[in-house]
Amino acid sequence: MKALVQDRNPDRWSTLIELVNPIGDLVECIVPNGKLNGNPRDAIAMLSDHGLMLADDHNIRPILNLIRKWPVSTFQILTKSVGWTPELDAFILTSGEVIARSEAASSYRLEGTPDGKEVGNIATWRDGVAALAVGNTNLVFAIALAFSTSLLVFTDLNSVIFHLFGRTSTGKTRVLMVALTVWPKIGVKGKTWDATINGLEGELARSSHILLGLDELPKDASADLGNMIYKVSLGSGKARSEKDGSAKKRTDWQTAVISTGEHSMLDTLKRIGKTPTGGQGVRMIDIPAEGEYGLFDNLHDHTTSDAFVRALDRSIRDVSGPAGAAFARHLMAMKTDDLQARLEAEISKQSEALQDHLGIVSGDDSTNEVRRVLDSFALIAIAGEWATEWGLTGWAPGMASDAVRTIAQRWLTGRGTMPLDQSRCLSKELSAGFMRRL
């Protein structure tokens, strides 16, 4: 019996039991105390599912008595979510690893079996993935974006989708895969836009404060695409009920999404008969996929983009997760108030620099939405610069900021500096329809 575990939503207690399974592995099982005391055979069934072997039924009562009487002095809080805990005293990875502040008052553990896997170490990631990103704007931006998700909780910024689109077949998915190496790998197959709103809620919750990647936005996307875009920004799921009719805790998230596809979000919505709105235009950021060699600018002495992609693929396979874990540890070393104060000051500075570079007039009501997006870009630049400052990337100072500036320029050039509004889109569609009738 390793610990007593508290689930705060609702307030229920369980016991963390460690046992040896039939092949000799030490495994853990969390058994609700209600089962230990009220439904003992259900408790034994849970332990059996984890490898407990019983010679006969006569062993059940002695085992239960041993569990009940075993002295336990360790307490843990069970959390259903990855990322930051509500007290901001720990960060939980999808691998189940808990990175806590030294002064944290509580001990945490992730509910269920962790579905993430950390592979390799920070040196492998820095010398492989991060090194190949040097000179490649899209890769540097994607990596900085991945780091930035862990900073969102210290801001008032919403979750945003950054959508890399273009007909080029070289690079979009690789850019997404590079970004995902920052955090522990989940599963073998990547995630795509082929999901329902309810399914998307689950993926967002499993990626809170950790980047979510959605590949291949189809041109004939779901009719719910517009609602999905708003759902990402909303940060919480639908209100649902338990089987007994009581209210179930809402699913919450705060993250960023990196997305790819052949077509922009605006064109995709039009293709499925929807009129894009201003709100969608600042919640899903259309970024044209550009580069000298597909999406790449520096092939690092490889003679072709295909050869560079093969090298990139080898680096991606070798590592996932240590960079994000190291970044979270550096955040833990900062006092929360100091972190927030530094972040607020640097967001203001980076955002002003972006506005100056892009010719955006501060205080102009017509650019409110644009400036809000630039704050999100500023956060990405800061994350990349902090990761560089802490020795995680091996990049030169300013490289992440330069990449973000280039990507922001592409986005702004593609949409114009004025807020995208429904009436303007509708006007364009009506004009196009009128011309077709002539």
Side-chain angles (χ1 to χ4, degrees):
M1 272 44 71
K2 291 186 65 176
L4 289 176
V5 181
Q6 181 188 19
D7 183 348
R8 293 176 171 176
N9 298 294
D11 189 13
R12 292 174 181 163
W13 288 86
S14 302
T15 299
L16 175 61
I17 300 171
E18 194 173 59
L19 65 147
V20 178
N21 67 17
I23 60 174
D25 293 332
L26 203 60
V27 297
E28 295 179 340
C29 178
I30 298 177
V31 181
N33 286 357
K35 291 186 183 296
L36 286 173
N37 297 306
N39 301 287
R41 286 192 172 272
D42 288 346
I44 292 296
M46 290 184 68
L47 293 170
S48 297
D49 286 342
H50 284 74
L52 176 67
M53 304 297 290
L54 294 176
D56 54 56
D57 289 353
H58 296 296
N59 292 324
I60 293 178
R61 186 172 295 279
I63 289 174
L64 288 173
N65 287 335
L66 176 66
I67 293 172
R68 291 166 180 159
K69 294 178 180 179
W70 194 284
V72 179
S73 59
T74 301
F75 296 88
Q76 295 182 337
I77 294 174
L78 191 66
T79 176
K80 297 176 173 64
S81 304
V82 297
W84 288 97
T85 59
E87 293 82 0
L88 299 179
D89 57 355
F91 192 97
I92 301 170
L93 301 174
T94 55
S95 61
E97 180 183 358
V98 178
I99 301 171
R101 297 188 187 277
S102 57
E103 69 276 14
S106 302
S107 175
Y108 299 90
R109 71 177 297 110
L110 184 63
E111 182 182 53
T113 302
D115 54 4
K117 182 179 181 181
E118 187 169 324
V119 179
N121 55 51
I122 187 61
T124 302
W125 183 84
R126 182 179 55 242
D127 298 340
V129 174
L132 290 174
V134 173
N136 288 296
T137 296
N138 296 301
L139 296 181
V140 172
F141 173 81
I143 289 171
L145 171 63
F147 283 123
S148 74
T149 55
S150 60
L151 297 176
L152 278 168
V153 70
F154 301 102
T155 75
D156 61 353
L157 296 173
N158 294 327
S159 300
V160 176
I161 305 168
F162 294 87
H163 179 60
L164 193 64
F165 74 93
R167 294 186 181 277
T168 175
S169 60
T170 304
K172 293 192 300 292
T173 297
R174 293 315 190 289
V175 171
L176 181 149
M177 292 168 64
V178 161
L180 295 179
T181 64
V182 170
W183 299 104
K185 184 177 182 180
I186 301 176
V188 177
K189 289 187 176 181
K191 299 175 180 64
T192 70
W193 276 97
D194 185 18
T196 63
I197 286 186
N198 289 344
L200 180 62
E201 282 185 17
E203 296 297 346
L204 288 164
R206 283 188 286 272
S207 303
S208 191
H209 308 142
I210 293 171
L211 186 69
L212 173 62
L214 293 176
D215 204 10
E216 300 175 359
L217 177 67
K219 64 181 180 181
D220 54 345
S222 165
D224 282 333
L225 175 61
N227 292 331
M228 287 181 174
I229 294 170
Y230 281 110
K231 175 64 69 176
V232 171
S233 180
L234 185 61
S236 64
K238 287 183 179 179
R240 295 182 172 88
S241 299
E242 300 281 5
K243 291 181 179 180
D244 61 4
S246 61
K248 181 182 290 187
K249 185 179 182 294
R250 284 178 182 267
T251 301
D252 298 320
W253 59 83
Q254 190 178 27
T255 189
V257 179
I258 183 168
S259 165
T260 70
E262 287 193 6
H263 303 279
S264 70
M265 175 272 294
L266 296 178
D267 286 343
T268 302
L269 284 174
K270 292 175 184 177
R271 284 172 177 270
I272 60 175
K274 306 293 183 180
T275 301
T277 67
Q280 291 163 341
V282 296
R283 288 169 171 82
M284 185 165 179
I285 308 304
D286 278 332
I287 302 171
E290 298 176 6
E292 188 173 349
Y293 309 98
L295 260 72
F296 310 115
D297 302 301
N298 182 353
L299 300 184
H300 290 264
D301 297 327
H302 294 280
T303 56
T304 66
S305 59
D306 286 344
F308 176 73
V309 166
R310 286 194 292 272
L312 196 59
D313 284 346
R314 288 193 294 271
S315 294
I316 292 169
R317 285 194 298 268
D318 287 343
V319 66
S320 66
F327 193 80
R329 290 190 186 95
H330 279 281
L331 295 179
M332 287 298 168
M334 303 172 69
K335 292 186 181 298
T336 301
D337 290 345
D338 294 342
L339 194 163
Q340 288 180 312
R342 180 181 176 185
L343 192 59
E344 183 178 346
E346 293 194 21
I347 287 176
S348 178
K349 182 179 179 181
Q350 282 278 1
S351 189
E352 288 177 5
L354 282 168
Q355 290 179 47
D356 289 343
H357 177 75
L358 300 173
I360 303 299
V361 179
S362 180
D364 184 347
D365 289 344
S366 66
T367 62
N368 282 342
E369 290 180 334
V370 169
R371 285 185 281 117
R372 180 74 173 173
V373 174
L374 292 186
D375 284 345
S376 293
F377 276 118
L379 184 70
I380 298 167
I382 291 164
E385 295 300 336
W386 285 11
T388 298
E389 175 187 329
W390 295 333
L392 306 183
T393 64
W395 301 341
M399 184 181 296
S401 298
D402 289 344
V404 170
R405 190 177 302 121
T406 300
I407 296 295
Q409 180 73 71
R410 281 191 215 158
W411 165 70
L412 194 60
T413 300
R415 80 180 296 275
T417 57
M418 297 294 288
L420 177 70
D421 59 73
Q422 186 169 344
S423 62
R424 194 176 71 188
C425 289
L426 184 59
S427 174
K428 286 184 178 180
E429 290 182 358
L430 290 174
S431 296
F434 177 75
M435 293 301 294
R436 285 195 295 270
R437 289 195 294 272
L438 291 180

